[in-house]
Amino acid sequence: MALQATLTMTQVPTVSQVSVKIEVQTTLNVSAYVARQKANRFLIMQAGDQLCAGEPELAIGSVMYWRVPVFYAPGQRGNLGTVGQVLVNTETGEVLLADGLTAADLMERAEILYARIAL
């Protein structure tokens, strides 16, 4: 598995030479596989069984966590799209919703996706 670091840069010239070196030392107590399991359990407990976790990516910051996309996948229709993200702490395994969203927000986004498909 290739690890990926996401950097947010507000001002980068369109033509530029960039060199980035990152060295991070931490204990990864939670693998990507376990992070996805934890995310799915969290989603079932908080929002029901029509939301599911996607493939985690490692996000490096002041705290390292697995960023797991949340998909709306109702029954026979399959994956209709992304409704949010779950964060899983790589050291503690703590799970929380990203971007200040709530389970109700995820379900509202899922309803919007479903309405678009039903049209």
Side-chain angles (χ1 to χ4, degrees), residues 75-111:
Q76 299 290 334
R77 293 201 180 251
N79 182 353
L80 297 183
T82 305
V83 295
Q85 296 179 340
V86 170
L87 305 176
V88 181
N89 187 299
T90 61
E91 288 188 62
T92 66
E94 178 187 15
V95 181
L96 53 105
L97 290 169
D99 305 320
L101 295 177
T102 65
D105 295 329
L106 296 181
M107 293 309 297
E108 183 178 323
R109 290 177 172 192
E111 288 175 16

PDB file of all heavy atoms in Angstrom, residues 75-111:
ATOM      1  N   GLY A  75     -29.397  -0.573  -0.745  1.00  0.00           N
ATOM      2  CA  GLY A  75     -29.815  -1.864  -1.289  1.00  0.00           C
ATOM      3  C   GLY A  75     -29.352  -2.182  -2.701  1.00  0.00           C
ATOM      4  O   GLY A  75     -28.170  -2.228  -2.992  1.00  0.00           O
ATOM      5  N   GLN A  76     -30.312  -2.375  -3.583  1.00  0.00           N
ATOM      6  CA  GLN A  76     -30.057  -2.806  -4.955  1.00  0.00           C
ATOM      7  C   GLN A  76     -29.416  -1.736  -5.832  1.00  0.00           C
ATOM      8  O   GLN A  76     -28.868  -2.034  -6.873  1.00  0.00           O
ATOM      9  CB  GLN A  76     -31.375  -3.250  -5.595  1.00  0.00           C
ATOM     10  CG  GLN A  76     -32.046  -4.410  -4.900  1.00  0.00           C
ATOM     11  CD  GLN A  76     -31.283  -5.712  -5.093  1.00  0.00           C
ATOM     12  OE1 GLN A  76     -30.563  -5.873  -6.065  1.00  0.00           O
ATOM     13  NE2 GLN A  76     -31.440  -6.622  -4.147  1.00  0.00           N
ATOM     14  N   ARG A  77     -29.484  -0.498  -5.450  1.00  0.00           N
ATOM     15  CA  ARG A  77     -28.971   0.589  -6.295  1.00  0.00           C
ATOM     16  C   ARG A  77     -27.455   0.699  -6.279  1.00  0.00           C
ATOM     17  O   ARG A  77     -26.871   1.299  -7.165  1.00  0.00           O
ATOM     18  CB  ARG A  77     -29.588   1.916  -5.883  1.00  0.00           C
ATOM     19  CG  ARG A  77     -31.067   1.988  -6.166  1.00  0.00           C
ATOM     20  CD  ARG A  77     -31.474   3.432  -6.220  1.00  0.00           C
ATOM     21  NE  ARG A  77     -32.889   3.544  -6.495  1.00  0.00           N
ATOM     22  CZ  ARG A  77     -33.367   3.974  -7.646  1.00  0.00           C
ATOM     23  NH1 ARG A  77     -32.553   4.319  -8.615  1.00  0.00           N
ATOM     24  NH2 ARG A  77     -34.658   4.065  -7.832  1.00  0.00           N
ATOM     25  N   GLY A  78     -26.801   0.187  -5.264  1.00  0.00           N
ATOM     26  CA  GLY A  78     -25.341   0.292  -5.180  1.00  0.00           C
ATOM     27  C   GLY A  78     -24.896   1.671  -4.729  1.00  0.00           C
ATOM     28  O   GLY A  78     -25.677   2.456  -4.200  1.00  0.00           O
ATOM     29  N   ASN A  79     -23.643   1.985  -4.968  1.00  0.00           N
ATOM     30  CA  ASN A  79     -23.039   3.243  -4.518  1.00  0.00           C
ATOM     31  C   ASN A  79     -23.568   4.411  -5.350  1.00  0.00           C
ATOM     32  O   ASN A  79     -23.326   4.485  -6.546  1.00  0.00           O
ATOM     33  CB  ASN A  79     -21.522   3.136  -4.641  1.00  0.00           C
ATOM     34  CG  ASN A  79     -20.804   4.364  -4.154  1.00  0.00           C
ATOM     35  OD1 ASN A  79     -21.417   5.378  -3.832  1.00  0.00           O
ATOM     36  ND2 ASN A  79     -19.500   4.282  -4.091  1.00  0.00           N
ATOM     37  N   LEU A  80     -24.263   5.342  -4.696  1.00  0.00           N
ATOM     38  CA  LEU A  80     -24.808   6.516  -5.385  1.00  0.00           C
ATOM     39  C   LEU A  80     -23.914   7.747  -5.252  1.00  0.00           C
ATOM     40  O   LEU A  80     -24.146   8.741  -5.927  1.00  0.00           O
ATOM     41  CB  LEU A  80     -26.207   6.845  -4.869  1.00  0.00           C
ATOM     42  CG  LEU A  80     -27.272   5.776  -5.096  1.00  0.00           C
ATOM     43  CD1 LEU A  80     -28.621   6.273  -4.593  1.00  0.00           C
ATOM     44  CD2 LEU A  80     -27.351   5.367  -6.549  1.00  0.00           C
ATOM     45  N   GLY A  81     -22.918   7.701  -4.365  1.00  0.00           N
ATOM     46  CA  GLY A  81     -22.017   8.839  -4.223  1.00  0.00           C
ATOM     47  C   GLY A  81     -21.523   9.038  -2.805  1.00  0.00           C
ATOM     48  O   GLY A  81     -21.955   8.363  -1.874  1.00  0.00           O
ATOM     49  N   THR A  82     -20.624   9.996  -2.658  1.00  0.00           N
ATOM     50  CA  THR A  82     -20.014  10.310  -1.367  1.00  0.00           C
ATOM     51  C   THR A  82     -20.863  11.332  -0.617  1.00  0.00           C
ATOM     52  O   THR A  82     -21.299  12.317  -1.198  1.00  0.00           O
ATOM     53  CB  THR A  82     -18.600  10.885  -1.573  1.00  0.00           C
ATOM     54  OG1 THR A  82     -17.844   9.953  -2.345  1.00  0.00           O
ATOM     55  CG2 THR A  82     -17.906  11.134  -0.256  1.00  0.00           C
ATOM     56  N   VAL A  83     -21.073  11.072   0.667  1.00  0.00           N
ATOM     57  CA  VAL A  83     -21.859  11.998   1.490  1.00  0.00           C
ATOM     58  C   VAL A  83     -21.043  12.635   2.617  1.00  0.00           C
ATOM     59  O   VAL A  83     -21.543  13.499   3.320  1.00  0.00           O
ATOM     60  CB  VAL A  83     -23.119  11.313   2.074  1.00  0.00           C
ATOM     61  CG1 VAL A  83     -24.074  10.919   0.968  1.00  0.00           C
ATOM     62  CG2 VAL A  83     -22.754  10.113   2.929  1.00  0.00           C
ATOM     63  N   GLY A  84     -19.795  12.220   2.781  1.00  0.00           N
ATOM     64  CA  GLY A  84     -18.956  12.787   3.829  1.00  0.00           C
ATOM     65  C   GLY A  84     -17.716  11.956   4.056  1.00  0.00           C
ATOM     66  O   GLY A  84     -17.367  11.102   3.234  1.00  0.00           O
ATOM     67  N   GLN A  85     -17.068  12.214   5.189  1.00  0.00           N
ATOM     68  CA  GLN A  85     -15.856  11.492   5.557  1.00  0.00           C
ATOM     69  C   GLN A  85     -15.855  11.210   7.053  1.00  0.00           C
ATOM     70  O   GLN A  85     -16.370  12.006   7.844  1.00  0.00           O
ATOM     71  CB  GLN A  85     -14.607  12.306   5.231  1.00  0.00           C
ATOM     72  CG  GLN A  85     -14.400  12.565   3.775  1.00  0.00           C
ATOM     73  CD  GLN A  85     -13.155  13.405   3.527  1.00  0.00           C
ATOM     74  OE1 GLN A  85     -12.658  14.094   4.403  1.00  0.00           O
ATOM     75  NE2 GLN A  85     -12.646  13.337   2.310  1.00  0.00           N
ATOM     76  N   VAL A  86     -15.248  10.087   7.406  1.00  0.00           N
ATOM     77  CA  VAL A  86     -15.039   9.710   8.795  1.00  0.00           C
ATOM     78  C   VAL A  86     -13.536   9.753   9.045  1.00  0.00           C
ATOM     79  O   VAL A  86     -12.740   9.400   8.169  1.00  0.00           O
ATOM     80  CB  VAL A  86     -15.584   8.288   9.072  1.00  0.00           C
ATOM     81  CG1 VAL A  86     -15.163   7.792  10.431  1.00  0.00           C
ATOM     82  CG2 VAL A  86     -17.089   8.262   8.941  1.00  0.00           C
ATOM     83  N   LEU A  87     -13.144  10.211  10.217  1.00  0.00           N
ATOM     84  CA  LEU A  87     -11.740  10.236  10.615  1.00  0.00           C
ATOM     85  C   LEU A  87     -11.513   9.199  11.706  1.00  0.00           C
ATOM     86  O   LEU A  87     -12.276   9.141  12.673  1.00  0.00           O
ATOM     87  CB  LEU A  87     -11.356  11.621  11.134  1.00  0.00           C
ATOM     88  CG  LEU A  87     -11.624  12.789  10.191  1.00  0.00           C
ATOM     89  CD1 LEU A  87     -11.285  14.103  10.877  1.00  0.00           C
ATOM     90  CD2 LEU A  87     -10.852  12.630   8.895  1.00  0.00           C
ATOM     91  N   VAL A  88     -10.464   8.399  11.542  1.00  0.00           N
ATOM     92  CA  VAL A  88     -10.111   7.397  12.539  1.00  0.00           C
ATOM     93  C   VAL A  88      -8.694   7.685  13.008  1.00  0.00           C
ATOM     94  O   VAL A  88      -7.747   7.641  12.213  1.00  0.00           O
ATOM     95  CB  VAL A  88     -10.206   5.961  11.968  1.00  0.00           C
ATOM     96  CG1 VAL A  88      -9.863   4.939  13.043  1.00  0.00           C
ATOM     97  CG2 VAL A  88     -11.595   5.690  11.396  1.00  0.00           C
ATOM     98  N   ASN A  89      -8.543   7.999  14.285  1.00  0.00           N
ATOM     99  CA  ASN A  89      -7.243   8.305  14.871  1.00  0.00           C
ATOM    100  C   ASN A  89      -6.341   7.075  14.766  1.00  0.00           C
ATOM    101  O   ASN A  89      -6.736   5.979  15.172  1.00  0.00           O
ATOM    102  CB  ASN A  89      -7.428   8.731  16.324  1.00  0.00           C
ATOM    103  CG  ASN A  89      -6.161   9.214  16.960  1.00  0.00           C
ATOM    104  OD1 ASN A  89      -5.186   8.480  17.070  1.00  0.00           O
ATOM    105  ND2 ASN A  89      -6.171  10.463  17.410  1.00  0.00           N
ATOM    106  N   THR A  90      -5.124   7.244  14.224  1.00  0.00           N
ATOM    107  CA  THR A  90      -4.226   6.107  14.004  1.00  0.00           C
ATOM    108  C   THR A  90      -3.636   5.540  15.281  1.00  0.00           C
ATOM    109  O   THR A  90      -3.195   4.399  15.296  1.00  0.00           O
ATOM    110  CB  THR A  90      -3.056   6.500  13.072  1.00  0.00           C
ATOM    111  OG1 THR A  90      -2.302   7.538  13.683  1.00  0.00           O
ATOM    112  CG2 THR A  90      -3.549   6.925  11.710  1.00  0.00           C
ATOM    113  N   GLU A  91      -3.619   6.322  16.348  1.00  0.00           N
ATOM    114  CA  GLU A  91      -3.070   5.837  17.613  1.00  0.00           C
ATOM    115  C   GLU A  91      -4.139   5.254  18.520  1.00  0.00           C
ATOM    116  O   GLU A  91      -3.967   4.190  19.096  1.00  0.00           O
ATOM    117  CB  GLU A  91      -2.341   6.958  18.348  1.00  0.00           C
ATOM    118  CG  GLU A  91      -1.021   7.339  17.705  1.00  0.00           C
ATOM    119  CD  GLU A  91      -0.234   8.315  18.554  1.00  0.00           C
ATOM    120  OE1 GLU A  91       0.118   7.942  19.687  1.00  0.00           O
ATOM    121  OE2 GLU A  91       0.015   9.433  18.085  1.00  0.00           O
ATOM    122  N   THR A  92      -5.271   5.969  18.650  1.00  0.00           N
ATOM    123  CA  THR A  92      -6.295   5.572  19.617  1.00  0.00           C
ATOM    124  C   THR A  92      -7.456   4.786  19.004  1.00  0.00           C
ATOM    125  O   THR A  92      -8.176   4.109  19.727  1.00  0.00           O
ATOM    126  CB  THR A  92      -6.889   6.809  20.309  1.00  0.00           C
ATOM    127  OG1 THR A  92      -7.610   7.584  19.336  1.00  0.00           O
ATOM    128  CG2 THR A  92      -5.816   7.652  20.958  1.00  0.00           C
ATOM    129  N   GLY A  93      -7.674   4.938  17.702  1.00  0.00           N
ATOM    130  CA  GLY A  93      -8.813   4.290  17.055  1.00  0.00           C
ATOM    131  C   GLY A  93     -10.113   5.063  17.215  1.00  0.00           C
ATOM    132  O   GLY A  93     -11.160   4.608  16.768  1.00  0.00           O
ATOM    133  N   GLU A  94     -10.045   6.237  17.826  1.00  0.00           N
ATOM    134  CA  GLU A  94     -11.248   7.058  17.994  1.00  0.00           C
ATOM    135  C   GLU A  94     -11.808   7.424  16.621  1.00  0.00           C
ATOM    136  O   GLU A  94     -11.077   7.767  15.704  1.00  0.00           O
ATOM    137  CB  GLU A  94     -10.917   8.330  18.769  1.00  0.00           C
ATOM    138  CG  GLU A  94     -12.109   9.262  18.933  1.00  0.00           C
ATOM    139  CD  GLU A  94     -11.745  10.609  19.548  1.00  0.00           C
ATOM    140  OE1 GLU A  94     -10.548  10.949  19.605  1.00  0.00           O
ATOM    141  OE2 GLU A  94     -12.671  11.316  19.951  1.00  0.00           O
ATOM    142  N   VAL A  95     -13.139   7.352  16.495  1.00  0.00           N
ATOM    143  CA  VAL A  95     -13.817   7.633  15.227  1.00  0.00           C
ATOM    144  C   VAL A  95     -14.691   8.866  15.389  1.00  0.00           C
ATOM    145  O   VAL A  95     -15.415   8.998  16.369  1.00  0.00           O
ATOM    146  CB  VAL A  95     -14.701   6.438  14.800  1.00  0.00           C
ATOM    147  CG1 VAL A  95     -15.391   6.718  13.481  1.00  0.00           C
ATOM    148  CG2 VAL A  95     -13.884   5.166  14.725  1.00  0.00           C
ATOM    149  N   LEU A  96     -14.605   9.775  14.410  1.00  0.00           N
ATOM    150  CA  LEU A  96     -15.477  10.938  14.419  1.00  0.00           C
ATOM    151  C   LEU A  96     -15.750  11.369  12.987  1.00  0.00           C
ATOM    152  O   LEU A  96     -15.024  11.019  12.061  1.00  0.00           O
ATOM    153  CB  LEU A  96     -14.873  12.082  15.237  1.00  0.00           C
ATOM    154  CG  LEU A  96     -13.462  12.530  14.886  1.00  0.00           C
ATOM    155  CD1 LEU A  96     -13.509  13.849  14.139  1.00  0.00           C
ATOM    156  CD2 LEU A  96     -12.669  12.688  16.154  1.00  0.00           C
ATOM    157  N   LEU A  97     -16.806  12.133  12.823  1.00  0.00           N
ATOM    158  CA  LEU A  97     -17.157  12.647  11.501  1.00  0.00           C
ATOM    159  C   LEU A  97     -16.302  13.864  11.186  1.00  0.00           C
ATOM    160  O   LEU A  97     -16.019  14.680  12.059  1.00  0.00           O
ATOM    161  CB  LEU A  97     -18.639  13.019  11.443  1.00  0.00           C
ATOM    162  CG  LEU A  97     -19.595  11.826  11.468  1.00  0.00           C
ATOM    163  CD1 LEU A  97     -21.022  12.284  11.686  1.00  0.00           C
ATOM    164  CD2 LEU A  97     -19.480  11.039  10.175  1.00  0.00           C
ATOM    165  N   ALA A  98     -15.882  13.989   9.931  1.00  0.00           N
ATOM    166  CA  ALA A  98     -15.047  15.110   9.496  1.00  0.00           C
ATOM    167  C   ALA A  98     -15.892  16.343   9.223  1.00  0.00           C
ATOM    168  O   ALA A  98     -17.109  16.258   9.029  1.00  0.00           O
ATOM    169  CB  ALA A  98     -14.279  14.720   8.232  1.00  0.00           C
ATOM    170  N   ASP A  99     -15.246  17.475   9.197  1.00  0.00           N
ATOM    171  CA  ASP A  99     -15.843  18.756   8.786  1.00  0.00           C
ATOM    172  C   ASP A  99     -17.019  19.198   9.649  1.00  0.00           C
ATOM    173  O   ASP A  99     -17.896  19.923   9.182  1.00  0.00           O
ATOM    174  CB  ASP A  99     -16.272  18.699   7.321  1.00  0.00           C
ATOM    175  CG  ASP A  99     -15.137  18.301   6.401  1.00  0.00           C
ATOM    176  OD1 ASP A  99     -14.008  18.777   6.635  1.00  0.00           O
ATOM    177  OD2 ASP A  99     -15.361  17.525   5.466  1.00  0.00           O
ATOM    178  N   GLY A 100     -17.068  18.746  10.907  1.00  0.00           N
ATOM    179  CA  GLY A 100     -18.133  19.177  11.808  1.00  0.00           C
ATOM    180  C   GLY A 100     -19.510  18.642  11.456  1.00  0.00           C
ATOM    181  O   GLY A 100     -20.518  19.154  11.949  1.00  0.00           O
ATOM    182  N   LEU A 101     -19.572  17.622  10.603  1.00  0.00           N
ATOM    183  CA  LEU A 101     -20.872  17.063  10.216  1.00  0.00           C
ATOM    184  C   LEU A 101     -21.433  16.166  11.304  1.00  0.00           C
ATOM    185  O   LEU A 101     -20.702  15.685  12.171  1.00  0.00           O
ATOM    186  CB  LEU A 101     -20.726  16.249   8.922  1.00  0.00           C
ATOM    187  CG  LEU A 101     -20.336  17.024   7.671  1.00  0.00           C
ATOM    188  CD1 LEU A 101     -20.151  16.076   6.493  1.00  0.00           C
ATOM    189  CD2 LEU A 101     -21.373  18.072   7.339  1.00  0.00           C
ATOM    190  N   THR A 102     -22.723  15.941  11.240  1.00  0.00           N
ATOM    191  CA  THR A 102     -23.399  15.008  12.135  1.00  0.00           C
ATOM    192  C   THR A 102     -23.949  13.855  11.298  1.00  0.00           C
ATOM    193  O   THR A 102     -23.998  13.937  10.067  1.00  0.00           O
ATOM    194  CB  THR A 102     -24.567  15.693  12.869  1.00  0.00           C
ATOM    195  OG1 THR A 102     -25.551  16.062  11.902  1.00  0.00           O
ATOM    196  CG2 THR A 102     -24.105  16.912  13.649  1.00  0.00           C
ATOM    197  N   ALA A 103     -24.403  12.814  11.966  1.00  0.00           N
ATOM    198  CA  ALA A 103     -25.029  11.698  11.258  1.00  0.00           C
ATOM    199  C   ALA A 103     -26.263  12.181  10.497  1.00  0.00           C
ATOM    200  O   ALA A 103     -26.538  11.727   9.382  1.00  0.00           O
ATOM    201  CB  ALA A 103     -25.396  10.593  12.246  1.00  0.00           C
ATOM    202  N   ALA A 104     -26.984  13.130  11.070  1.00  0.00           N
ATOM    203  CA  ALA A 104     -28.162  13.685  10.391  1.00  0.00           C
ATOM    204  C   ALA A 104     -27.761  14.399   9.104  1.00  0.00           C
ATOM    205  O   ALA A 104     -28.470  14.316   8.088  1.00  0.00           O
ATOM    206  CB  ALA A 104     -28.905  14.643  11.325  1.00  0.00           C
ATOM    207  N   ASP A 105     -26.615  15.080   9.115  1.00  0.00           N
ATOM    208  CA  ASP A 105     -26.116  15.740   7.904  1.00  0.00           C
ATOM    209  C   ASP A 105     -25.826  14.716   6.804  1.00  0.00           C
ATOM    210  O   ASP A 105     -26.141  14.937   5.633  1.00  0.00           O
ATOM    211  CB  ASP A 105     -24.842  16.532   8.189  1.00  0.00           C
ATOM    212  CG  ASP A 105     -25.059  17.709   9.128  1.00  0.00           C
ATOM    213  OD1 ASP A 105     -26.170  18.287   9.118  1.00  0.00           O
ATOM    214  OD2 ASP A 105     -24.116  18.039   9.870  1.00  0.00           O
ATOM    215  N   LEU A 106     -25.213  13.604   7.184  1.00  0.00           N
ATOM    216  CA  LEU A 106     -24.919  12.554   6.208  1.00  0.00           C
ATOM    217  C   LEU A 106     -26.205  12.005   5.594  1.00  0.00           C
ATOM    218  O   LEU A 106     -26.295  11.795   4.376  1.00  0.00           O
ATOM    219  CB  LEU A 106     -24.121  11.419   6.843  1.00  0.00           C
ATOM    220  CG  LEU A 106     -22.726  11.741   7.361  1.00  0.00           C
ATOM    221  CD1 LEU A 106     -22.070  10.491   7.934  1.00  0.00           C
ATOM    222  CD2 LEU A 106     -21.861  12.344   6.277  1.00  0.00           C
ATOM    223  N   MET A 107     -27.204  11.778   6.436  1.00  0.00           N
ATOM    224  CA  MET A 107     -28.477  11.248   5.938  1.00  0.00           C
ATOM    225  C   MET A 107     -29.184  12.257   5.038  1.00  0.00           C
ATOM    226  O   MET A 107     -29.795  11.892   4.037  1.00  0.00           O
ATOM    227  CB  MET A 107     -29.377  10.829   7.104  1.00  0.00           C
ATOM    228  CG  MET A 107     -28.839   9.630   7.878  1.00  0.00           C
ATOM    229  SD  MET A 107     -28.405   8.212   6.843  1.00  0.00           S
ATOM    230  CE  MET A 107     -29.985   7.797   6.137  1.00  0.00           C
ATOM    231  N   GLU A 108     -29.075  13.537   5.373  1.00  0.00           N
ATOM    232  CA  GLU A 108     -29.667  14.583   4.531  1.00  0.00           C
ATOM    233  C   GLU A 108     -28.995  14.588   3.152  1.00  0.00           C
ATOM    234  O   GLU A 108     -29.661  14.684   2.119  1.00  0.00           O
ATOM    235  CB  GLU A 108     -29.509  15.941   5.203  1.00  0.00           C
ATOM    236  CG  GLU A 108     -30.146  17.083   4.441  1.00  0.00           C
ATOM    237  CD  GLU A 108     -30.000  18.408   5.176  1.00  0.00           C
ATOM    238  OE1 GLU A 108     -30.082  18.417   6.422  1.00  0.00           O
ATOM    239  OE2 GLU A 108     -29.790  19.425   4.492  1.00  0.00           O
ATOM    240  N   ARG A 109     -27.672  14.471   3.134  1.00  0.00           N
ATOM    241  CA  ARG A 109     -26.943  14.410   1.866  1.00  0.00           C
ATOM    242  C   ARG A 109     -27.333  13.157   1.083  1.00  0.00           C
ATOM    243  O   ARG A 109     -27.430  13.191  -0.145  1.00  0.00           O
ATOM    244  CB  ARG A 109     -25.435  14.435   2.120  1.00  0.00           C
ATOM    245  CG  ARG A 109     -24.931  15.776   2.610  1.00  0.00           C
ATOM    246  CD  ARG A 109     -23.454  15.711   2.913  1.00  0.00           C
ATOM    247  NE  ARG A 109     -22.920  17.031   3.215  1.00  0.00           N
ATOM    248  CZ  ARG A 109     -21.633  17.299   3.298  1.00  0.00           C
ATOM    249  NH1 ARG A 109     -20.732  16.351   3.098  1.00  0.00           N
ATOM    250  NH2 ARG A 109     -21.228  18.519   3.571  1.00  0.00           N
ATOM    251  N   ALA A 110     -27.536  12.062   1.784  1.00  0.00           N
ATOM    252  CA  ALA A 110     -27.953  10.814   1.131  1.00  0.00           C
ATOM    253  C   ALA A 110     -29.330  10.978   0.486  1.00  0.00           C
ATOM    254  O   ALA A 110     -29.562  10.514  -0.633  1.00  0.00           O
ATOM    255  CB  ALA A 110     -27.969   9.675   2.149  1.00  0.00           C
ATOM    256  N   GLU A 111     -30.236  11.644   1.184  1.00  0.00           N
ATOM    257  CA  GLU A 111     -31.577  11.883   0.629  1.00  0.00           C
ATOM    258  C   GLU A 111     -31.507  12.741  -0.634  1.00  0.00           C
ATOM    259  O   GLU A 111     -32.242  12.499  -1.591  1.00  0.00           O
ATOM    260  CB  GLU A 111     -32.465  12.539   1.682  1.00  0.00           C
ATOM    261  CG  GLU A 111     -32.878  11.603   2.788  1.00  0.00           C
ATOM    262  CD  GLU A 111     -33.661  12.300   3.898  1.00  0.00           C
ATOM    263  OE1 GLU A 111     -34.143  13.438   3.691  1.00  0.00           O
ATOM    264  OE2 GLU A 111     -33.778  11.701   4.977  1.00  0.00           O
TER     265      GLU A 111
END
